[in-house]
Amino acid sequence: MIRKTIASAALAASMLASGFAHADVEFKPLEKDPETIVFGFISTESSSNLKAQWQPLIEDMEEALGKDVEAFFAPDYAGIIEGMRFGKVHVGWFGNKSAMEAVDRAGGEVFVQTSKSDGTNGYYSHIITQADNDKLNTLADMLKCDGSLNFGIGDPNSTSGFLVPTYYVFAQNGVDPKNCFKTVRNANHETNLMATANNQVDVAANNSEQLARTQMVKPEITDKVKVIWTSPLIPSDPMVYRKDMSRELKSEIKAFFLGYGRLGDVEEANKVLGGIQDGMGKFMESSNAQLYPIRQLELYKDKLKIENTAELSADEKAKRVSEIDKQLAELDILVSYE
């Protein structure tokens, strides 16, 4: 299911009309197009690392648009979402779950998505532990839930670090991490990888991009960890802009991303892209419809949680599950157009 990615703007409009967006959440409308475009970046790793990777693209974007482009880094994903919500961030690089929040709560709109330099269009969530840990080789080993293990999970708005493992690893196995592990702490991918390599946590959520990126620059770190679980394919990261900017400005921004590595100094642009994450390829057309599989995961996770709770009456459980099933049915119709 999570393998499905859709790129139909018409379906995306239907999605919003169907009531999946949180219409009760207000965001501050832009009074006019920004003179300086603020480009926000989710905190997958340190700000210094992200800046080094993205700054050449930002400079090329400034030249193409004839506008100043300012990078904005927040300590967590919520900072970028809230920045867009209040008009302080105009364009952002997001993961799928954080993009869903930006679309629903911050007036955002997916317009392109990333790809890999080898042409592939997705990545994986992982659970990692120390390479020399002979006691942890499978999920079953980790989910013994005797309160002896320290677990590192991702930012609550991370797709691969939080949503995907929460559903596939914990919800599907009826496990509450708080009752399973000695400690559970939230951190970005880089921090969780380093904590695992340095024996500060026993197991942690991570992803294939972070492992590949670290293998490129610090192979001695990745040599210290091993993967004990891999998720289904996750759609590549979406780029989101404020939907209330003018059509002209949005068209110019979208044209820049879709043309980057295809028009102008192609060799230099592809070199820049190759230096981002574990080697980024060209940007591809996308829309809010890319988020359908993530919405399905979120709903399935909520459904499992409701079904397994002892805090609700049978009638209340049935009512809430019925509401979720209705939303899932609507999503199934939309996904069937793929």
Side-chain angles (χ1 to χ4, degrees):
M1 181 187 304
I2 197 169
R3 295 176 183 273
K4 296 183 179 180
T5 55
I6 309 167
S8 166
L11 287 181
S14 298
M15 177 71 168
L16 295 178
S18 297
F20 286 98
H22 298 287
D24 56 331
V25 177
E26 294 184 1
F27 61 91
K28 184 178 179 180
L30 296 175
E31 296 179 359
K32 60 179 181 178
D33 283 341
E35 293 296 324
T36 297
I37 295 173
V38 180
F39 196 153
F41 297 89
I42 54 173
S43 55
T44 56
E45 52 185 301
S46 68
S47 297
S48 59
N49 285 352
L50 290 172
K51 183 175 181 180
Q53 294 172 49
W54 288 92
Q55 187 60 37
L57 183 144
I58 290 173
E59 292 173 2
D60 289 341
M61 186 175 174
E62 284 185 318
E63 183 176 351
L65 299 181
K67 283 179 172 285
D68 290 336
V69 179
E70 178 182 311
F72 176 69
F73 305 96
D76 55 26
Y77 287 38
I80 304 301
I81 297 166
E82 290 302 292
M84 182 165 282
R85 180 185 175 196
F86 290 102
K88 304 299 183 183
V89 171
H90 310 109
V91 181
W93 169 56
F94 290 89
N96 287 280
K97 185 177 186 302
S98 54
M100 184 176 73
E101 295 296 323
V103 167
D104 291 352
R105 301 175 53 243
E109 179 182 358
V110 175
F111 64 100
V112 294
Q113 71 176 141
T114 62
S115 72
K116 298 298 181 186
S117 56
D118 63 2
T120 56
N121 195 29
Y123 66 109
Y124 300 91
S125 173
H126 292 309
I127 299 293
I128 60 173
T129 188
Q130 293 78 32
D132 59 0
N133 191 334
D134 295 331
K135 296 181 179 180
L136 290 174
N137 294 296
T138 66
L139 275 189
D141 296 334
M142 185 186 79
L143 297 179
K144 58 186 179 181
C145 293
D146 60 2
S148 66
L149 301 177
N150 296 301
F151 183 72
I153 198 165
D155 185 290
N157 287 304
S158 169
T159 307
S160 59
F162 192 91
L163 177 60
V164 169
T166 295
Y167 174 69
Y168 284 104
V169 175
F170 299 120
Q172 285 201 329
N173 288 292
V175 172
D176 183 342
K178 297 191 296 295
N179 299 328
C180 184
F181 301 112
K182 182 178 181 180
T183 62
V184 178
R185 74 176 194 185
N186 297 91
N188 65 34
H189 304 310
E190 180 185 34
T191 299
N192 276 331
L193 174 55
M194 295 298 294
T196 306
N198 294 322
N199 290 290
Q200 295 168 334
V201 296
D202 299 292
V203 277
N206 218 265
N207 69 31
S208 55
E209 293 177 334
Q210 184 64 54
L211 291 177
R213 174 71 184 173
T214 305
Q215 179 65 31
M216 290 167 56
V217 296
K218 292 183 178 179
E220 68 275 12
I221 299 299
T222 50
D223 288 345
K224 293 180 180 180
V225 303
K226 65 182 178 182
V227 174
I228 63 171
W229 176 80
T230 298
S231 74
L233 187 71
I234 303 170
S236 292
D237 293 336
M239 307 295 287
V240 179
Y241 50 31
R242 282 279 303 222
K243 64 183 180 182
D244 58 354
M245 292 191 296
S246 70
R247 291 181 65 185
E248 180 178 1
L249 180 55
K250 287 192 295 183
S251 295
E252 290 175 356
I253 292 171
K254 186 172 184 177
F256 165 74
F257 279 95
L258 289 178
Y260 201 69
R262 295 183 174 94
L263 304 173
D265 193 338
V266 171
E267 183 177 352
E268 181 60 28
N270 285 320
K271 181 179 178 181
V272 169
L273 290 170
I276 299 174
Q277 293 183 291
D278 56 333
M280 189 178 286
K282 299 174 182 63
F283 295 97
M284 303 294 179
E285 181 87 22
S286 191
S287 72
N288 291 349
Q290 173 181 333
L291 307 176
Y292 293 172
I294 308 306
R295 294 185 184 280
Q296 289 175 312
L297 275 188
E298 189 78 40
L299 288 168
Y300 278 119
K301 183 194 73 174
D302 291 345
K303 180 178 178 179
L304 285 172
K305 184 177 180 180
I306 291 168
E307 290 175 336
N308 293 326
T309 186
E311 298 177 0
L312 297 174
S313 67
D315 287 345
E316 184 62 25
K317 279 187 181 182
K319 178 182 177 182
R320 295 192 184 185
V321 167
S322 176
E323 292 171 352
I324 290 176
D325 284 341
K326 181 180 178 181
Q327 290 180 301
L328 285 169
E330 291 182 44
L331 273 170
D332 285 341
I333 292 172
L334 294 173
V335 170
S336 70
Y337 280 91
E338 182 189 4

